[in-house]
Amino acid sequence: MRSVDEHLAEILRTVRVLAPLELELDHALGTTLAEEVLSPIPLPPFDNSAMDGYAVRAEDVRQAPVTLPVIDDVAAGDGRMLVIGPGMVTRIMTGAPLPVGADAVVPVEWTDGGTARVTISRPVQERHAIRRAGEDVHAGDVVLPVGTAIGPAQLGVLAGVGRRRVLVRPRPRVVVISTGAELVEPGTPLGTGQIWESNSYALIAAVREAGGQGYRAGIVADDATRFLDQLDAQLLRADVVITSGGVSMGAYEPVKEALGPLGTVRFDRVAMQPGMPQGFGVVGEDQVPLFALPGNPVSSFVSFMVFVRPALRKMRGLPVEPTRTVRAVTTSALRSPQGKRSHLRGVLTADGAVAPVQRQGSHQFAALAAANALIVVPEDVTELPEGATVEVIPL
């Protein structure tokens, strides 16, 4: 058997970072920045008021309470060049440019709200409630480096420095093909020996959580020819293909039967539980990575977390890092087969304890749905007592 680390290393050597493309900001969420973004201007671009109130010279209100004339109103977006002299104030709104001569803003709550004359009840310090030009970003500053994952805040920054389009590495397009003569679509009647297909829904959701775009390609029965036809049709829209089922040692394994002769996809027994039967390689003229995952639901999901998720991260142009784990104390004894890395389903609590769920079968999807973590038991460990410290992958 291959080790988990060997199998993952081969995957990460094979997959490539996706080529960059230019996208409108509306379509850039979840992508990875492929260029350094600089601000062409300072942010804020001008001194402006941080709140509604009155623009003043601080020295004019040091002896507050004082009553002063209001010479003008300044609203956000006002493009006039206004000036105030000694003993004068302007009413000013949040975001409005600060008049020349003013060095502070008095909040409206500290006044009587007057429009022709205003009584100010409290003194202010210079620069009070003023956003200075460039206090967030100077002109020419790098606001986002290459390799930044673009989320809502990053989109806001891009728009804030005037960008309409941006060069990014796109979200990987991942097609999921489920195989098995026993599978039928959810919502349709079950015949004898049939089950509703569930793996593709879980895998597509996992793809989207991992920053990819997921597409279900439907169910293929245990027929190698039909599988190859479906695969060929899907390669036009795929950066990655995931298959579920058809990779074990028995008869009627269409994925292994169809891809084995190609010589570009390798099928192995990997020293892990669940998820021992694994296939990985490339297919098609564009050498699209293909993950052939086992058909048992929990095996398929765990395989995604261990192997596919890191590969998608590399394809997105993000740093390739070990799967994030936390340390926790197990609430009961654990057992694991010799020579295999186990990923036991568990419930991780805020106080650092983890309780294995009662049902650990690779077919028991409901037990997986009740878990929020995978407890990792190393290959050379067969038993752990209650209270042992373990590595846990949060889900």
Side-chain angles (χ1 to χ4, degrees), residues 18 36 46 49 80-81 103 120 154 166 199 207 221 253 273 342-343 380 392-393:
L18 294 180
E36 188 177 66
F46 50 84
S49 178
R80 296 175 297 160
M81 177 64 73
D103 58 15
I120 297 170
Q154 290 72 33
V166 63
N199 284 6
V207 165
E253 302 293 348
Q273 182 173 299
S342 287
H343 296 86
D380 58 350
V392 174
I393 301 173

Side-chain angles (χ1 to χ4, degrees), residues 322-353:
T323 301
R324 184 178 75 89
T325 63
V326 298
R327 296 177 74 81
V329 175
T330 180
T331 62
S332 62
L334 305 176
R335 299 185 67 181
S336 177
Q338 176 67 39
K340 289 185 178 181
R341 184 180 303 179
S342 287
H343 296 86
L344 305 175
R345 279 67 72 201
V347 177
L348 179 66
T349 60
D351 61 359

Side-chain angles (χ1 to χ4, degrees), residues 7-280:
H7 191 63
L8 179 58
E10 181 184 341
I11 289 167
L12 294 178
R13 283 194 301 268
T14 302
V15 299
R16 297 288 179 261
V17 180
L18 294 180
L21 54 85
E22 195 172 52
L23 292 180
E24 296 277 345
L25 291 194
D26 286 344
H27 303 291
L29 181 66
T31 63
T32 305
L33 198 60
E35 63 172 318
E36 188 177 66
V37 176
L38 285 66
S39 179
I41 61 171
L43 295 178
F46 50 84
D47 292 352
N48 67 89
S49 178
M51 57 181 60
D52 295 338
Y54 295 83
V56 303
R57 300 190 332 153
E59 64 182 67
D60 291 338
V61 297
R62 292 197 198 285
Q63 305 304 316
V66 296
T67 300
L68 300 172
V70 178
I71 64 169
D72 213 329
D73 281 2
V74 190
D78 194 325
R80 296 175 297 160
M81 177 64 73
L82 295 176
V83 179
I84 66 168
M88 302 176 184
V89 305
T90 63
R91 196 162 62 148
I92 193 166
M93 310 308 160
T94 303
L98 194 70
V100 175
D103 58 15
V105 171
V106 177
V108 69
E109 294 84 358
W110 298 1
T111 75
D112 64 358
T115 56
R117 296 180 66 80
V118 62
T119 298
I120 297 170
S121 60
R122 293 171 56 177
V124 292
Q125 298 295 319
E126 291 182 7
R127 302 183 60 147
H128 184 267
I130 294 175
R131 302 165 177 157
R132 290 296 185 188
E135 70 176 26
D136 185 16
V137 173
H138 294 104
D141 280 356
V142 176
V143 293
L144 294 173
V146 173
T148 299
I150 298 180
Q154 290 72 33
L155 283 172
V157 169
L158 288 165
V161 299
R163 297 297 293 266
R164 180 72 182 183
R165 299 173 66 84
V166 63
L167 189 69
V168 298
R169 299 197 186 275
R171 298 163 60 202
R173 301 167 299 166
V174 183
V175 171
V176 176
I177 305 173
S178 292
T179 67
E182 76 280 17
L183 303 178
V184 295
E185 290 288 348
T188 60
L190 286 179
T192 301
Q194 292 183 326
I195 60 173
W196 286 304
E197 195 278 314
S198 58
N199 284 6
S200 67
Y201 290 92
L203 290 171
I204 289 298
V207 165
R208 291 170 181 163
E209 272 197 341
Q213 302 179 71
Y215 304 98
R216 290 184 67 244
I219 300 167
V220 177
D222 293 332
D223 184 301
T225 300
R226 289 181 58 189
F227 170 76
L228 281 176
D229 289 343
Q230 177 71 290
L231 178 61
D232 287 341
Q234 297 300 324
L235 287 177
L236 293 174
R237 64 168 178 172
D239 298 311
V240 177
V241 174
I242 300 174
T243 67
S244 173
V247 297
S248 295
M249 302 301 293
Y252 309 110
E253 302 293 348
V255 176
K256 184 182 285 188
E257 182 183 343
L259 299 179
L262 299 181
T264 60
V265 178
R266 173 174 169 167
F267 293 89
D268 289 290
R269 296 166 71 235
V270 176
M272 63 185 289
Q273 182 173 299
M276 182 176 67
Q278 296 286 333
F280 175 75

Side-chain angles (χ1 to χ4, degrees), residues 262-331:
L262 299 181
T264 60
V265 178
R266 173 174 169 167
F267 293 89
D268 289 290
R269 296 166 71 235
V270 176
M272 63 185 289
Q273 182 173 299
M276 182 176 67
Q278 296 286 333
F280 175 75
V282 294
V283 292
E285 293 182 2
D286 293 330
Q287 302 285 282
V288 174
L290 182 142
F291 293 85
L293 306 185
N296 277 321
V298 180
S299 301
S300 177
F301 179 80
V302 170
S303 299
F304 180 93
M305 295 299 294
V306 175
F307 299 125
V308 184
R309 189 180 179 93
L312 294 181
R313 185 174 176 86
K314 178 176 179 179
M315 296 178 75
R316 294 175 62 201
L318 297 172
V320 178
E321 301 169 343
T323 301
R324 184 178 75 89
T325 63
V326 298
R327 296 177 74 81
V329 175
T330 180
T331 62

